[in-house]
Amino acid sequence: MTQASERAVAALEGGRQQDAVAIAQDAASAGDAECLALLARWRLIGSPLPRDLPEARRLLRAATLAGSEDAAMMEAALTANGTGAPQDWSGATAILREAAERYGGPAAEDAALLSRMDLDDEGYPLALPEPESLGRDYQVKRWRQFLTPEECAHLAMSVRDLLAPSIVADPRTGRSIPHPIRTSSAAVVGPTRESLPLQAIMRRLAAATGTRVEQGEPLNVLHYAPGQEYREHMDTLPHVTNQRTVTALIYLNTGYVGGETRFPAQNLSVAGGGGGMVAFANTLPDGSPDPRSRHAGAPVRQGVKWAATRWIRAKPFDVWNQG
């Protein structure tokens, strides 16, 4: 961070919002790349400045041109996922390539991984593995080699600094409490962290499930230590107009015992392998919850299980407005 950006952050942490904004804006007007990036983040999250996604994109472009590596990575992600402007896969890959050449490091690693994916001009897969159907009247589809080991590692490592015990808001007090049915650690991959390899994976997932990538919620990465589980539940939500119609679950590693995905109504138990994926419908044709989708993640008995879930809505999901 530059001295100006450090001063702006310190002012904000000290409760002096107006001072923080003034410091960042003054330095940004003089071309300070880190302050430009800081203002962009504030515009994205809506604090301490009002949310303005197009303005955030403008600031990120200026920060990238001024030499901010973090801004370049963030700009590539938002250009690809369509935050503040229409999706532009070719523009995003161009930003990533420029960052790779200029900085190396994570940008070069992402660019190299992306080059090993068999993609069309919009980041979608040119081919997909064939799924198998499990279950009787209710179908669970399984793809055994949906991701490569390298792609699994990239997905797991994308949230290495975010993993925390699963929590939920207490409906009575509003306070955060341990999740009543999920004892794993979890992290959400927000839009600014959606690297281009991750977005290519999400496009592959959309193609496999016959949905649009815009329908998906952010990827949710789960880490299960021995004894941890996801107790029996359904993924549908109460009182929403844009329901979770499909769940996709990717298994990111092998070498653990237990942790099967169980569907009690089908007497079905799926042991995930590294790179495998299962997908299943959560709703009936009329849009109501399908009780046959009730499932559980069995306790891990030995080793560590990594998985990633994407809940897919009936209509596009706006992550910035949660709808």
Side-chain angles (χ1 to χ4, degrees):
M1 296 180 71
T2 60
Q3 287 186 347
S5 62
E6 289 178 348
R7 288 173 50 224
V9 170
L12 184 62
E13 292 176 346
R16 296 181 290 115
Q17 292 191 0
Q18 290 185 340
D19 289 345
V21 171
I23 292 167
Q25 288 179 335
D26 286 347
S29 65
D32 186 307
E34 296 308 316
C35 281
L36 284 163
L38 186 60
L39 290 170
R41 293 188 190 96
W42 291 348
R43 287 296 191 184
L44 286 168
I45 64 176
S47 177
L49 291 169
R51 177 173 291 160
D52 187 333
L53 302 183
E55 175 64 4
R57 287 286 300 277
R58 186 193 70 78
L59 290 163
L60 281 176
R61 176 89 293 246
T64 297
L65 293 174
S68 170
E69 181 179 2
D70 288 345
M73 297 293 282
M74 194 182 305
E75 185 188 15
L78 300 185
T79 300
N81 64 30
T83 294
Q87 291 182 7
D88 181 2
W89 182 260
S90 63
T93 55
I95 295 169
L96 179 63
R97 286 195 300 268
E98 291 169 4
E101 293 172 1
R102 184 170 186 176
Y103 305 110
E109 293 170 5
D110 284 5
L113 176 54
L114 199 68
S115 71
R116 290 189 282 275
M117 296 178 167
D118 196 17
L119 307 174
D120 66 14
D121 292 339
E122 296 298 326
Y124 286 88
L126 292 173
L128 286 168
E130 285 295 323
E132 56 185 310
S133 295
L134 309 176
R136 300 187 301 275
D137 58 319
Y138 177 79
Q139 295 295 304
V140 177
K141 290 190 175 182
R142 175 169 63 184
W143 293 258
R144 288 189 178 272
Q145 294 180 319
F146 193 73
L147 299 187
T148 68
E150 187 180 20
E151 291 164 353
C152 289
H154 180 83
L155 179 47
M157 293 300 288
S158 69
V159 295
R160 61 192 178 277
D161 60 328
L162 296 178
L163 283 172
S166 299
I167 59 173
V168 68
D170 187 321
R172 295 170 301 172
T173 66
R175 295 179 179 176
S176 296
I177 59 173
H179 200 292
I181 62 173
R182 188 172 72 195
T183 59
S184 62
S185 296
V188 174
V189 183
T192 61
R193 284 180 174 254
E194 288 177 352
S195 69
L196 298 201
L198 287 185
Q199 294 196 45
I201 288 170
M202 291 188 288
R203 283 162 166 76
R204 189 185 309 169
L205 192 156
T209 56
T211 59
R212 295 172 55 193
V213 70
E214 296 88 355
Q215 292 173 242
E217 295 182 31
L219 283 166
N220 193 5
V221 179
L222 306 173
H223 172 275
Y224 296 84
Q228 292 183 328
E229 63 182 317
Y230 201 159
R231 299 185 184 99
E232 193 174 312
H233 64 285
M234 293 175 64
D235 288 337
T236 47
L237 299 171
H239 316 302
V240 296
T241 58
N242 189 14
Q243 188 57 268
R244 291 173 170 172
T245 58
V246 176
T247 292
L249 175 61
I250 304 172
Y251 305 97
L252 300 179
N253 70 315
T254 56
Y256 57 89
V257 179
E260 301 89 354
T261 305
R262 295 175 177 169
F263 296 85
Q266 297 297 301
N267 193 28
L268 176 64
S269 181
V270 182
M277 184 180 82
V278 296
F280 50 91
N282 295 314
T283 55
L284 295 164
D286 65 0
S288 61
D290 188 337
R292 298 171 300 178
S293 70
R294 184 173 293 275
H295 59 287
V300 172
R301 300 194 300 275
Q302 182 179 330
V304 170
K305 172 186 173 183
W306 286 84
T309 298
R310 191 164 214 216
W311 293 294
I312 301 172
R313 301 290 187 114
K315 298 177 291 186
F317 179 77
D318 184 350
V319 66
W320 298 104
N321 293 301
Q322 298 293 298

